[in-house]
DNA sequence: CTGTTAGCGCGTTCAT
DNA sequence: ATGAACGCGCTAACAG
């Protein structure tokens, strides 16, 4: 493999000069620059970026910890991150965790070993204290309320977002409300459950454990939800659904089962992806791509703002009936 | 930053010995090993992986060139790649191209600069000759028929897959057949178009340019397809749809417009994702995850097989009517 | 403007 | 079983 020294020799200059033209430094005479360029061309020289990484202690690589990539919620965030990364000339290295703690630690370790300059954690499994510890090795930003701990965060207040949906339903006269969610565990899920329980308490309604439908990730999962819904002795009049996709599945299955959306079952979904407009779903818009963009921004800039909350807003369409 | 030399000093051994325990080499006395481990612990030493990369000339990183990540076709492949990568202790670095040639070249350059050990190209834009040229820098495998050129490939024969769908339709008495596709350009699309044209010619049917619906990527795009379909003076009796998602969208919109699937419009989709079973779509199963797995395998093993074709199969369900 | 030289942190002969 | 010394390819003082 031909290296910078070979080029220098062949061009009759020093390695420094070669390095300078390689990095577009000033203070190189046009004459020598041409000489070097010619040598590079002739010898088919190409820089070894690992040596650069070692020398500079930086890789221009950012790690992204993400549970899945084939879920619209996360792939939207990832899209936002990826686009912004490209703009800033960073590349992404993926740590798909399936919510596995070990995979997350692995990513943290890569930060420590300087394979990546910084780390974006889209879904946290490990303790805050662990993250704080690793922060000495490079910037870390978590997509979850940092709660004014040391860790930087860019996040959506899922408690308030959920509450907004709940309140909308309550204001429309609904009292019998259930919800669909991916998993019951994890910070975001807990926040949503808290909002749910708080609201029920406020309107003095009992909790129906069987009105909480979990394992709802995809459009196909909507089918199961509707099946379970139909077998209920007591049915809710409204459902909060944490993804437009699942809501779409519910709509489709309801149509098959002749359950009239809004009339018999009101739906508020989340994300405001194109499909929700198509289906005229009342939904809560979550600025996912934007959040991805800001996650990357946060990891890059030595911004003093540690906890950045993203806005959300309810978009009224036609899936909620006023009782 | 504490390095291997510091540890060696502190443990009272040579750097070589430290390196040995780091890499689990034999020929280190248990006594010294303990000493080293203790020093590592105390000094909070951690290896700098970039130095390892430089020395070894290898990074355990594989690049993946992919146009989008939020499209089921590609995210399925990516999933397959990612799972297999994890098993083999490789990490992935993503090059999302949006079909942009420059981004693809960028990935190729990373191979040349040894930032990645090998490269998987899920969708090729650049010339075969360019890829062959870069192959000197590391293994490359393309997810497209390599046509016995120098480049390794793992792919689906989209001509035959499309033909299989077409023949099924023809055998069921259909003659007026159209199709939906993401884009008209690109190798895969050209193959499908060729299969389409060949079939029409065989059954002596004219080509209706307006029976070819492009820009169909997502479930929402199904709406536009149906709109265009409805405004047709002459309508096809069947549609081949290159993704289950788009087919799902078509089904939904047809339901709204009271167009009866199968009876008025037969559909064959591709991929066999869960939604196709849910909707009872006749579809052509494409082993996407498996292909991802084999793409990674191909890039790792010095396998002599250069062109590996993946199988596919038609799954009959209820979206095709026999005329 | 240009070159010399000392690292960056680690792996690896090759003696011992 | 162990260590000295060199090399990986490049950058960045520093000197000129």
């Amino acid at each position: 493999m031909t290296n910078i020294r070979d080029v220098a020799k062949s061009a009759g200059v020093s390695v420094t000069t070669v390095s300078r033209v390689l990095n577009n430094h000033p203070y190189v005479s046009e004459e020598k620059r041409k000489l070097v360029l010619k040598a590079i061309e002739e010898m088919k020289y190409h820089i070894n970026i690992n040596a650069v990484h070692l020398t500079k202690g930086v890789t221009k690589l950012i790690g992204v910890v993400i549970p899945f990539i084939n879920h619209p919620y996360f792939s939207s965030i990832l899209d936002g991150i990826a686009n912004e990364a490209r703009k800033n000339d960073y590349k992404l290295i993926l740590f798909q965790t399936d919510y596995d703690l070990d995979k997350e630690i692995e990513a943290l370790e890569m930060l420590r070993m300087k394979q990546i300059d910084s780390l974006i954690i889209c879904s946290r499994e490990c303790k805050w204290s662990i993250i704080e510890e690793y922060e000495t090795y490079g910037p870390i930003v978590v997509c979850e309320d940092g709660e004014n701990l040391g860790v930087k965060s860019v996040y959506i207040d899922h408690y308030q977002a959920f509450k907004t949906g709940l309140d909308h339903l309550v204001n429309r006269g609904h009292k019998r409300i259930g919800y669909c969610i991916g998993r019951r565990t994890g910070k975001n899920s807990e926040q949503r459950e808290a909002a749910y329980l708080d609201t029920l308490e406020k309107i003095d309604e009992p909790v129906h454990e069987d009105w909480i439908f979990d394992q709802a990730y995809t459009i196909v999962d909507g089918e199961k939800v509707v099946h379970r819904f139909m077998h209920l002795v007591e049915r809710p009049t409204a459902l909060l659904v944490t993804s437009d996709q699942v809501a779409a599945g519910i709509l489709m299955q309801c149509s098959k089962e002749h359950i009239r959306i809004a009339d018999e079952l009101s739906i508020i979904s989340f994300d405001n992806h194109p499909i929700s407009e198509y289906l005229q779903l009342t939904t809560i818009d979550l600025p996912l791509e934007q959040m991805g963009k800001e996650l990357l921004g946060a990891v890059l800039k030595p911004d003093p703002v540690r906890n950045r909350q993203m806005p959300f807003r309810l978009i009224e369409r036609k899936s909620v009936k006023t009782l």
Side-chain angles (χ1 to χ4, degrees), chain A:
Chain A
M1 183 194 300
T2 126
N3 63 20
I4 200 174
R5 206 153 18 230
D6 301 333
V7 174
K9 199 175 301 172
S10 160
V13 300
S14 75
V15 289
T16 311
T17 303
V18 177
S19 174
R20 288 207 177 100
V21 344
L22 247 29
N23 295 286
N24 287 316
H25 265 282
Y27 301 139
V28 178
S29 66
E30 199 50 39
E31 173 191 18
K32 298 218 169 190
R33 154 168 277 116
K34 287 238 198 306
L35 239 41
V36 170
L37 256 20
K38 185 157 143 284
I40 286 179
E41 181 76 14
E42 280 172 359
M43 309 180 75
K44 290 183 178 300
Y45 165 81
H46 42 86
I47 202 168
N48 180 328
I49 210 151
N50 292 127
V52 179
H53 291 163
L54 175 59
T55 318
K56 292 211 179 151
V58 151
T59 59
K60 285 280 195 175
L61 240 38
I62 294 179
V64 179
V65 170
I66 202 162
F68 323 113
I69 51 177
N70 56 355
H71 187 289
Y73 180 85
F74 290 111
S75 70
S76 295
I77 298 176
L78 187 54
D79 247 35
I81 296 174
N83 289 330
E84 195 65 8
R86 195 164 18 186
K87 278 188 205 155
N88 291 278
D89 195 28
Y90 274 84
K91 301 255 160 0
L92 261 30
I93 150 162
L94 231 53
F95 297 89
Q96 192 184 342
T97 63
D98 290 309
Y99 294 121
D100 179 355
L101 176 61
D102 289 344
K103 308 274 163 51
E104 199 172 320
I105 299 289
E106 215 175 299
L108 259 359
E109 281 295 317
M110 295 311 244
L111 184 64
R112 178 204 291 233
M113 301 194 296
K114 302 187 132 326
Q115 169 139 14
I116 53 181
D117 292 349
S118 18
L119 187 61
I120 295 174
I121 301 181
C122 295
S123 180
R124 177 184 62 97
E125 285 296 310
C126 75
K127 293 183 197 149
W128 284 114
S129 60
I130 303 277
I131 294 180
E132 280 185 293
E133 181 186 321
Y134 277 96
E135 233 181 349
T136 52
Y137 303 116
I140 302 180
V141 48
V142 180
C143 187
E144 174 188 320
D145 188 349
E147 294 165 339
N148 296 313
L149 297 168
V151 187
K152 258 197 187 182
S153 66
V154 177
Y155 64 99
I156 287 164
D157 184 338
H158 285 290
Y159 181 96
Q160 286 303 334
F162 222 60
K163 188 108 181 50
T164 298
L166 258 0
D167 287 348
H168 183 77
L169 254 14
V170 170
N171 291 338
R172 295 289 173 291
H174 291 272
K175 285 176 152 299
R176 309 167 60 76
I177 303 172
Y179 75 91
C180 300
I181 197 160
R183 52 173 198 162
R184 297 287 294 268
T185 54
K187 182 68 178 302
N188 293 346
S189 299
E190 285 165 16
Q191 288 188 329
R192 294 190 260 230
E193 178 160 348
Y196 180 69
L197 297 180
D198 289 353
T199 301
L200 289 196
E201 188 174 352
K202 212 174 72 181
I203 62 174
D204 203 28
E205 282 284 321
V207 177
H208 292 250
E209 188 60 31
D210 52 2
W211 290 1
I212 302 177
F213 305 87
D214 64 347
Q215 297 306 311
Y217 292 99
T218 71
I219 195 165
V220 172
D221 294 330
E223 179 186 17
K224 291 177 298 190
V225 171
V226 174
H227 276 153
R228 282 158 64 185
F229 172 83
M230 290 174 62
H231 285 89
L232 254 24
V233 182
E234 289 189 85
R235 292 181 182 178
T237 60
L239 242 35
L240 223 54
V241 184
T242 55
S243 109
D244 288 329
Q245 321 300 314
V246 175
I250 293 177
L251 256 59
M252 289 176 69
Q253 188 63 26
C254 279
S255 155
K256 280 193 190 175
E257 304 287 359
H258 305 293
I259 298 170
R260 295 186 311 281
I261 289 302
D263 273 351
E264 288 177 72
L265 178 62
S266 289
I267 300 274
I268 294 182
S269 63
F270 284 81
D271 294 356
N272 190 30
H273 278 168
I275 195 169
S276 69
E277 185 184 357
Y278 170 59
L279 296 174
Q280 284 299 296
L281 277 163
T282 291
T283 191
I284 292 177
D285 178 83
L286 266 26
L288 267 13
E289 285 88 355
Q290 180 63 23
M291 187 161 68
K293 183 176 170 176
E294 302 212 6
L295 278 163
L296 196 117
V299 101
L300 250 35
K301 289 164 220 148
D303 193 336
V305 179
R306 296 204 80 76
N307 296 289
R308 165 114 174 78
Q309 197 176 102
M310 303 299 295
F312 56 83
R313 72 181 209 284
L314 182 107
I315 296 179
E316 265 196 87
R317 290 198 275 243
K318 307 209 161 89
S319 59
V320 174
K321 180 187 184 182
T322 302
L323 296 184

